[in-house]
């Protein structure tokens, strides 16, 4: 019984683990360059989606090369987030 509880708790920890990035899914890029895309547009409630005060016109899920570092995405209110170098960052979280 003790081992079943430990196994169950281990599975919960694994299921709840993430890559440590609140605003998106991050994975290493295949070529060492840095990429960004939006995979959730807040249910379409954004109107014009802005990244660093410029219109983000790419379709959901499509990525483009971007400079690593601090960026601001705007969907009614600005959200600041950090993109590390050499990754594909797919933005997916609009919450607090």
């Amino acid at each position: 019984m003790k081992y079943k509880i430990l196994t169950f708790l281990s599975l919960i920890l694994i299921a709840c683990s993430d890559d440590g990035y609140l605003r998106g899914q991050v994975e290493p890029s295949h070529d060492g360059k840095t990429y960004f895309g939006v995979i959730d547009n807040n249910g379409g409630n954004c109107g014009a989606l802005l990244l660093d005060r410029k219109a983000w016109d790419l379709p959901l899920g499509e990525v483009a090369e971007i400079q690593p570092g601090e960026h601001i995405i705007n969907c009614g209110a600005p959200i600041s987030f950090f993109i590390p170098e050499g990754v594909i960052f797919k933005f997916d979280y609009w919450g607090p």
Side-chain angles (χ1 to χ4, degrees), residues 20-41:
Y21 295 93
L22 172 66
R23 298 288 172 198
Q25 301 171 13
V26 177
E27 62 187 66
S29 69
H30 57 282
D31 59 6
K33 295 180 181 178
T34 305
Y35 298 90
F36 174 78
V38 176
I39 58 174
D40 179 352
N41 65 354

PDB file of all heavy atoms in Angstrom, residues 20-41:
ATOM      1  N   GLY A  20       8.905  25.342 -16.898  1.00  0.00           N
ATOM      2  CA  GLY A  20       9.281  26.492 -16.095  1.00  0.00           C
ATOM      3  C   GLY A  20       8.913  27.831 -16.695  1.00  0.00           C
ATOM      4  O   GLY A  20       9.245  28.867 -16.140  1.00  0.00           O
ATOM      5  N   TYR A  21       8.231  27.850 -17.821  1.00  0.00           N
ATOM      6  CA  TYR A  21       7.838  29.089 -18.466  1.00  0.00           C
ATOM      7  C   TYR A  21       6.328  29.257 -18.359  1.00  0.00           C
ATOM      8  O   TYR A  21       5.566  28.471 -18.911  1.00  0.00           O
ATOM      9  CB  TYR A  21       8.273  29.107 -19.933  1.00  0.00           C
ATOM     10  CG  TYR A  21       9.767  29.101 -20.063  1.00  0.00           C
ATOM     11  CD1 TYR A  21      10.463  27.915 -20.211  1.00  0.00           C
ATOM     12  CD2 TYR A  21      10.478  30.283 -19.988  1.00  0.00           C
ATOM     13  CE1 TYR A  21      11.841  27.911 -20.296  1.00  0.00           C
ATOM     14  CE2 TYR A  21      11.859  30.285 -20.068  1.00  0.00           C
ATOM     15  CZ  TYR A  21      12.529  29.098 -20.226  1.00  0.00           C
ATOM     16  OH  TYR A  21      13.892  29.089 -20.299  1.00  0.00           O
ATOM     17  N   LEU A  22       5.906  30.290 -17.650  1.00  0.00           N
ATOM     18  CA  LEU A  22       4.490  30.525 -17.404  1.00  0.00           C
ATOM     19  C   LEU A  22       3.721  30.841 -18.681  1.00  0.00           C
ATOM     20  O   LEU A  22       2.615  30.355 -18.873  1.00  0.00           O
ATOM     21  CB  LEU A  22       4.322  31.682 -16.409  1.00  0.00           C
ATOM     22  CG  LEU A  22       2.897  32.176 -16.179  1.00  0.00           C
ATOM     23  CD1 LEU A  22       2.076  31.081 -15.504  1.00  0.00           C
ATOM     24  CD2 LEU A  22       2.901  33.441 -15.352  1.00  0.00           C
ATOM     25  N   ARG A  23       4.262  31.657 -19.547  1.00  0.00           N
ATOM     26  CA  ARG A  23       3.517  32.189 -20.686  1.00  0.00           C
ATOM     27  C   ARG A  23       3.506  31.321 -21.925  1.00  0.00           C
ATOM     28  O   ARG A  23       2.787  31.626 -22.871  1.00  0.00           O
ATOM     29  CB  ARG A  23       4.057  33.565 -21.059  1.00  0.00           C
ATOM     30  CG  ARG A  23       3.921  34.579 -19.977  1.00  0.00           C
ATOM     31  CD  ARG A  23       2.495  34.986 -19.818  1.00  0.00           C
ATOM     32  NE  ARG A  23       2.342  35.825 -18.633  1.00  0.00           N
ATOM     33  CZ  ARG A  23       1.202  36.044 -18.053  1.00  0.00           C
ATOM     34  NH1 ARG A  23       0.117  35.517 -18.522  1.00  0.00           N
ATOM     35  NH2 ARG A  23       1.136  36.787 -16.987  1.00  0.00           N
ATOM     36  N   GLY A  24       4.304  30.272 -21.956  1.00  0.00           N
ATOM     37  CA  GLY A  24       4.316  29.505 -23.187  1.00  0.00           C
ATOM     38  C   GLY A  24       5.048  28.194 -23.087  1.00  0.00           C
ATOM     39  O   GLY A  24       5.634  27.854 -22.077  1.00  0.00           O
ATOM     40  N   GLN A  25       4.983  27.477 -24.197  1.00  0.00           N
ATOM     41  CA  GLN A  25       5.695  26.218 -24.343  1.00  0.00           C
ATOM     42  C   GLN A  25       7.052  26.534 -24.968  1.00  0.00           C
ATOM     43  O   GLN A  25       7.124  27.234 -25.977  1.00  0.00           O
ATOM     44  CB  GLN A  25       4.914  25.282 -25.248  1.00  0.00           C
ATOM     45  CG  GLN A  25       3.524  24.979 -24.740  1.00  0.00           C
ATOM     46  CD  GLN A  25       2.705  24.235 -25.777  1.00  0.00           C
ATOM     47  OE1 GLN A  25       3.218  23.729 -26.769  1.00  0.00           O
ATOM     48  NE2 GLN A  25       1.411  24.169 -25.541  1.00  0.00           N
ATOM     49  N   VAL A  26       8.106  26.020 -24.362  1.00  0.00           N
ATOM     50  CA  VAL A  26       9.462  26.334 -24.818  1.00  0.00           C
ATOM     51  C   VAL A  26      10.212  25.037 -25.084  1.00  0.00           C
ATOM     52  O   VAL A  26      10.192  24.121 -24.278  1.00  0.00           O
ATOM     53  CB  VAL A  26      10.203  27.176 -23.758  1.00  0.00           C
ATOM     54  CG1 VAL A  26      11.626  27.453 -24.193  1.00  0.00           C
ATOM     55  CG2 VAL A  26       9.459  28.475 -23.491  1.00  0.00           C
ATOM     56  N   GLU A  27      10.849  24.986 -26.239  1.00  0.00           N
ATOM     57  CA  GLU A  27      11.674  23.837 -26.593  1.00  0.00           C
ATOM     58  C   GLU A  27      12.894  24.333 -27.368  1.00  0.00           C
ATOM     59  O   GLU A  27      12.835  25.396 -27.996  1.00  0.00           O
ATOM     60  CB  GLU A  27      10.885  22.830 -27.425  1.00  0.00           C
ATOM     61  CG  GLU A  27      10.394  23.388 -28.741  1.00  0.00           C
ATOM     62  CD  GLU A  27       9.481  22.421 -29.476  1.00  0.00           C
ATOM     63  OE1 GLU A  27       8.390  22.150 -28.971  1.00  0.00           O
ATOM     64  OE2 GLU A  27       9.884  21.979 -30.569  1.00  0.00           O
ATOM     65  N   PRO A  28      13.994  23.598 -27.333  1.00  0.00           N
ATOM     66  CA  PRO A  28      15.185  24.020 -28.089  1.00  0.00           C
ATOM     67  C   PRO A  28      14.873  24.072 -29.588  1.00  0.00           C
ATOM     68  O   PRO A  28      14.135  23.237 -30.110  1.00  0.00           O
ATOM     69  CB  PRO A  28      16.211  22.923 -27.795  1.00  0.00           C
ATOM     70  CG  PRO A  28      15.705  22.218 -26.581  1.00  0.00           C
ATOM     71  CD  PRO A  28      14.218  22.364 -26.586  1.00  0.00           C
ATOM     72  N   SER A  29      15.434  25.061 -30.269  1.00  0.00           N
ATOM     73  CA  SER A  29      15.242  25.131 -31.720  1.00  0.00           C
ATOM     74  C   SER A  29      16.216  24.181 -32.403  1.00  0.00           C
ATOM     75  O   SER A  29      17.253  23.832 -31.844  1.00  0.00           O
ATOM     76  CB  SER A  29      15.422  26.563 -32.230  1.00  0.00           C
ATOM     77  OG  SER A  29      16.763  26.965 -32.118  1.00  0.00           O
ATOM     78  N   HIS A  30      15.886  23.785 -33.606  1.00  0.00           N
ATOM     79  CA  HIS A  30      16.703  22.824 -34.348  1.00  0.00           C
ATOM     80  C   HIS A  30      17.992  23.432 -34.896  1.00  0.00           C
ATOM     81  O   HIS A  30      18.933  22.717 -35.200  1.00  0.00           O
ATOM     82  CB  HIS A  30      15.882  22.229 -35.495  1.00  0.00           C
ATOM     83  CG  HIS A  30      15.341  23.270 -36.426  1.00  0.00           C
ATOM     84  ND1 HIS A  30      14.240  24.034 -36.122  1.00  0.00           N
ATOM     85  CD2 HIS A  30      15.770  23.686 -37.630  1.00  0.00           C
ATOM     86  CE1 HIS A  30      14.008  24.879 -37.111  1.00  0.00           C
ATOM     87  NE2 HIS A  30      14.923  24.686 -38.037  1.00  0.00           N
ATOM     88  N   ASP A  31      18.044  24.771 -35.006  1.00  0.00           N
ATOM     89  CA  ASP A  31      19.207  25.416 -35.603  1.00  0.00           C
ATOM     90  C   ASP A  31      19.892  26.434 -34.687  1.00  0.00           C
ATOM     91  O   ASP A  31      20.773  27.155 -35.123  1.00  0.00           O
ATOM     92  CB  ASP A  31      18.815  26.087 -36.913  1.00  0.00           C
ATOM     93  CG  ASP A  31      17.723  27.131 -36.732  1.00  0.00           C
ATOM     94  OD1 ASP A  31      17.327  27.425 -35.571  1.00  0.00           O
ATOM     95  OD2 ASP A  31      17.244  27.656 -37.755  1.00  0.00           O
ATOM     96  N   GLY A  32      19.467  26.504 -33.420  1.00  0.00           N
ATOM     97  CA  GLY A  32      20.083  27.430 -32.472  1.00  0.00           C
ATOM     98  C   GLY A  32      19.550  28.849 -32.541  1.00  0.00           C
ATOM     99  O   GLY A  32      19.927  29.688 -31.737  1.00  0.00           O
ATOM    100  N   LYS A  33      18.677  29.117 -33.506  1.00  0.00           N
ATOM    101  CA  LYS A  33      18.067  30.443 -33.601  1.00  0.00           C
ATOM    102  C   LYS A  33      16.873  30.512 -32.647  1.00  0.00           C
ATOM    103  O   LYS A  33      16.436  29.500 -32.110  1.00  0.00           O
ATOM    104  CB  LYS A  33      17.617  30.728 -35.029  1.00  0.00           C
ATOM    105  CG  LYS A  33      18.774  30.820 -36.008  1.00  0.00           C
ATOM    106  CD  LYS A  33      18.281  31.112 -37.394  1.00  0.00           C
ATOM    107  CE  LYS A  33      19.437  31.181 -38.386  1.00  0.00           C
ATOM    108  NZ  LYS A  33      18.957  31.412 -39.759  1.00  0.00           N
ATOM    109  N   THR A  34      16.334  31.709 -32.467  1.00  0.00           N
ATOM    110  CA  THR A  34      15.228  31.928 -31.550  1.00  0.00           C
ATOM    111  C   THR A  34      13.967  32.236 -32.349  1.00  0.00           C
ATOM    112  O   THR A  34      13.999  33.062 -33.270  1.00  0.00           O
ATOM    113  CB  THR A  34      15.552  33.098 -30.596  1.00  0.00           C
ATOM    114  OG1 THR A  34      16.800  32.818 -29.946  1.00  0.00           O
ATOM    115  CG2 THR A  34      14.472  33.283 -29.552  1.00  0.00           C
ATOM    116  N   TYR A  35      12.859  31.552 -31.986  1.00  0.00           N
ATOM    117  CA  TYR A  35      11.600  31.694 -32.709  1.00  0.00           C
ATOM    118  C   TYR A  35      10.456  31.973 -31.735  1.00  0.00           C
ATOM    119  O   TYR A  35      10.505  31.573 -30.572  1.00  0.00           O
ATOM    120  CB  TYR A  35      11.288  30.421 -33.488  1.00  0.00           C
ATOM    121  CG  TYR A  35      12.310  30.093 -34.547  1.00  0.00           C
ATOM    122  CD1 TYR A  35      13.414  29.305 -34.255  1.00  0.00           C
ATOM    123  CD2 TYR A  35      12.185  30.595 -35.841  1.00  0.00           C
ATOM    124  CE1 TYR A  35      14.362  29.011 -35.218  1.00  0.00           C
ATOM    125  CE2 TYR A  35      13.130  30.307 -36.816  1.00  0.00           C
ATOM    126  CZ  TYR A  35      14.213  29.508 -36.498  1.00  0.00           C
ATOM    127  OH  TYR A  35      15.148  29.227 -37.458  1.00  0.00           O
ATOM    128  N   PHE A  36       9.416  32.621 -32.259  1.00  0.00           N
ATOM    129  CA  PHE A  36       8.235  32.940 -31.451  1.00  0.00           C
ATOM    130  C   PHE A  36       6.987  32.714 -32.281  1.00  0.00           C
ATOM    131  O   PHE A  36       6.952  32.996 -33.479  1.00  0.00           O
ATOM    132  CB  PHE A  36       8.275  34.404 -30.996  1.00  0.00           C
ATOM    133  CG  PHE A  36       7.036  34.834 -30.276  1.00  0.00           C
ATOM    134  CD1 PHE A  36       6.833  34.489 -28.950  1.00  0.00           C
ATOM    135  CD2 PHE A  36       6.067  35.571 -30.923  1.00  0.00           C
ATOM    136  CE1 PHE A  36       5.671  34.873 -28.283  1.00  0.00           C
ATOM    137  CE2 PHE A  36       4.905  35.968 -30.268  1.00  0.00           C
ATOM    138  CZ  PHE A  36       4.714  35.613 -28.949  1.00  0.00           C
ATOM    139  N   GLY A  37       5.948  32.215 -31.606  1.00  0.00           N
ATOM    140  CA  GLY A  37       4.639  32.083 -32.223  1.00  0.00           C
ATOM    141  C   GLY A  37       3.566  32.153 -31.158  1.00  0.00           C
ATOM    142  O   GLY A  37       3.841  31.979 -29.966  1.00  0.00           O
ATOM    143  N   VAL A  38       2.361  32.429 -31.576  1.00  0.00           N
ATOM    144  CA  VAL A  38       1.215  32.477 -30.670  1.00  0.00           C
ATOM    145  C   VAL A  38       0.348  31.262 -30.983  1.00  0.00           C
ATOM    146  O   VAL A  38      -0.031  31.057 -32.139  1.00  0.00           O
ATOM    147  CB  VAL A  38       0.407  33.785 -30.860  1.00  0.00           C
ATOM    148  CG1 VAL A  38      -0.827  33.785 -29.986  1.00  0.00           C
ATOM    149  CG2 VAL A  38       1.279  34.993 -30.559  1.00  0.00           C
ATOM    150  N   ILE A  39       0.042  30.452 -29.967  1.00  0.00           N
ATOM    151  CA  ILE A  39      -0.815  29.294 -30.200  1.00  0.00           C
ATOM    152  C   ILE A  39      -2.170  29.442 -29.520  1.00  0.00           C
ATOM    153  O   ILE A  39      -3.038  28.600 -29.704  1.00  0.00           O
ATOM    154  CB  ILE A  39      -0.130  27.971 -29.794  1.00  0.00           C
ATOM    155  CG1 ILE A  39       0.287  27.965 -28.338  1.00  0.00           C
ATOM    156  CG2 ILE A  39       1.062  27.713 -30.685  1.00  0.00           C
ATOM    157  CD1 ILE A  39       0.836  26.625 -27.874  1.00  0.00           C
ATOM    158  N   ASP A  40      -2.348  30.519 -28.761  1.00  0.00           N
ATOM    159  CA  ASP A  40      -3.643  30.808 -28.143  1.00  0.00           C
ATOM    160  C   ASP A  40      -3.853  32.312 -28.181  1.00  0.00           C
ATOM    161  O   ASP A  40      -3.071  33.067 -27.614  1.00  0.00           O
ATOM    162  CB  ASP A  40      -3.663  30.311 -26.692  1.00  0.00           C
ATOM    163  CG  ASP A  40      -4.972  30.610 -25.980  1.00  0.00           C
ATOM    164  OD1 ASP A  40      -5.822  31.331 -26.539  1.00  0.00           O
ATOM    165  OD2 ASP A  40      -5.148  30.129 -24.860  1.00  0.00           O
ATOM    166  N   ASN A  41      -4.887  32.753 -28.891  1.00  0.00           N
ATOM    167  CA  ASN A  41      -5.149  34.184 -29.010  1.00  0.00           C
ATOM    168  C   ASN A  41      -6.242  34.646 -28.049  1.00  0.00           C
ATOM    169  O   ASN A  41      -7.044  35.522 -28.374  1.00  0.00           O
ATOM    170  CB  ASN A  41      -5.493  34.556 -30.446  1.00  0.00           C
ATOM    171  CG  ASN A  41      -6.781  33.923 -30.919  1.00  0.00           C
ATOM    172  OD1 ASN A  41      -7.384  33.108 -30.225  1.00  0.00           O
ATOM    173  ND2 ASN A  41      -7.208  34.272 -32.118  1.00  0.00           N
TER     174      ASN A  41
END
